[in-house]
Every structure is written in structure tokens, then in C-alpha cells.
Amino acid sequence: MFSIIQAAGWPIWPLIACSILGLALIIERFISLKTDRIVPPKLLDEAIMVSNASIPGPDVVAQLEQNSVLGEVLASGFRTLNSNPKVSESDLRSSLEGAGRQAAAKLQRYLGALATIASAAPLLGLLGTVIGMIEIFASQGSAGGMGTSPGGGDPTQLARGISIALYNTAFGLMIAIPALIFWRYFRARVDAYLLVMEVASERFVRHLIRVRK
């Protein structure tokens, strides 16, 4: 592996940094976007059951908020009613919508960085290719001019230029393709979570209005 890095030249180092960062982001998103951390299946039913008789107190609301991202959204509805029991339905919806926007920002964290890596890696590979081509032309033109005389050019420099060009192109694609795949996968997963939370919030608002009356 070290010999490949040496053959690829210095342009490979930004690609290695991108690969390490991309792998770290993918692992982090896999851990953070687990269903139990975002939308536990029975959380909405439990929140409705707890508040059937009356709006729960601050301790229960704090536990709900710490449960998951959906818990944060539902807790915002409880807090709004606890602070103002006569709050209008539109203000109550606005409270949950604001919490939902914060939840969406939390779910989409680092996805922009992963998309940037997917876009930048092929360009960095192209940069390495250009540098390799420059070394090839430099080696051919250094003596005899593009091999027009016997012994013209440096075969070692020629081989090095080809190595830089090919290795960097390959590494750029090897980083960009998985990064793009995982970015699209996480985006689809986040969109699915947001849809679930939107439906749950609508159902929860109707429940809170019923309880308040």
C-alpha cells in the first residue's frame, strides 16, 4: 500500500484525507440515524397514553425530550401547553413545526460534507492526472524533445508521471462512488424519518387539542 502511495505522488494525500473523513462521516451517520434514536416505533402511542388524562409535568417532558429526536418534537408540544394552557391551535402547530425544523437540521448534519467529498474526490483525482501528465511531458521534453532523438526523455520520469495520473484517477473514483451512494442512502433515510415525524406531529396536535378541551 505504501508503495502505491509513493507511486501516486503527493496529489494522493488530499484524496487519503477525503477517504478518512468520508469513512468517519458514514460511520457517524449510521450510528446517529438508527431508528431507535430518531423515531422509536411506540413512542407516539406512549406519549398519547401518558397525556390522556392531563398534560404531564416537567420531569416526564424532560425524559421524553431525551428519548429521541421525535421525543424532542413531542416534548415541545407539552411545553407549549404547560406554559400556556389556552394556546391557540395555530400557535401549538407552529411550536411543533419549529421543533420539526430543528430536528430536520439535526438529521441532515454532515450530509453536506459527504456530498462535498463525493463531488470533490473526482476533481482531486483529475488534478493528480493533470500533474502526472505534466511530469510525462516534462520528462519527454527534458532531453531530445518528445523522444525525437535516440535516448530522448527520462523513462523513470515517464513511468512516474503515468503512475501519478492513473493512481490518482482511480483513487478519486474509488472515494467518490461510495460517498455518493451513501449520501443518497442517508438522504432517503432522512426523508423517510421526516415524513414519519410529520405524520406523528399532526396526530399529536389533534390529541393535544382534544386533551386541552
Side-chain angles (χ1 to χ4, degrees):
M1 186 66 182
F2 184 70
S3 63
I4 293 176
I5 293 174
Q6 281 185 317
W10 68 263
I12 199 68
W13 291 106
L15 287 170
I16 292 175
C18 285
S19 67
I20 294 172
L21 179 58
L23 180 61
L25 292 177
I26 289 170
I27 293 173
E28 190 279 337
R29 287 292 83 189
F30 263 120
I31 295 173
S32 298
L33 293 179
K34 288 183 177 179
T35 302
D36 290 341
R37 288 174 174 260
I38 309 300
V39 285
K42 297 182 180 179
L43 183 64
L44 176 61
D45 293 333
E46 292 173 357
I48 291 175
M49 182 179 65
V50 168
S51 57
N52 267 331
S54 62
I55 303 300
D59 293 341
V60 176
V61 174
Q63 290 180 357
L64 177 62
E65 186 177 33
Q66 295 172 2
N67 179 274
S68 61
V69 176
L70 176 60
E72 295 176 9
V73 176
L74 301 182
S76 68
F78 283 147
R79 282 206 175 90
T80 301
L81 280 182
N82 281 330
S83 61
N84 182 14
K86 296 183 179 180
V87 65
S88 65
E89 181 176 348
S90 61
D91 288 341
L92 184 59
R93 290 183 183 274
S94 297
S95 174
L96 267 74
E97 287 174 0
R101 285 191 291 271
Q102 292 180 350
K106 181 179 294 188
L107 295 181
Q108 293 169 353
R109 184 185 302 166
Y110 304 134
L111 292 187
L114 192 58
T116 300
I117 291 173
S119 301
L123 297 178
L124 291 172
L126 179 61
L127 174 62
T129 302
V130 172
I131 291 171
M133 295 298 294
I134 291 173
E135 291 208 11
I136 291 173
F137 287 119
S139 69
Q140 292 298 309
S142 60
M146 293 300 288
T148 55
S149 64
D154 184 351
T156 303
Q157 284 295 103
L158 176 62
R160 176 172 171 77
I162 294 173
S163 296
I164 292 175
L166 295 181
Y167 278 129
N168 281 279
T169 302
F171 268 86
L173 294 175
M174 287 169 62
I175 294 168
I177 292 171
L180 179 62
I181 290 172
F182 280 109
W183 174 72
R184 288 187 177 274
Y185 168 74
F186 290 134
R187 278 292 303 270
R189 195 164 184 174
V190 167
D191 290 343
Y193 284 146
L194 291 177
L195 178 60
V196 171
M197 285 195 290
E198 183 179 349
V199 173
S201 297
E202 179 62 28
R203 180 183 169 192
F204 194 61
V205 166
R206 293 197 299 268
H207 165 74
L208 292 179
I209 295 299
R210 186 168 60 250
V211 171
R212 188 189 60 178
K213 293 179 180 179

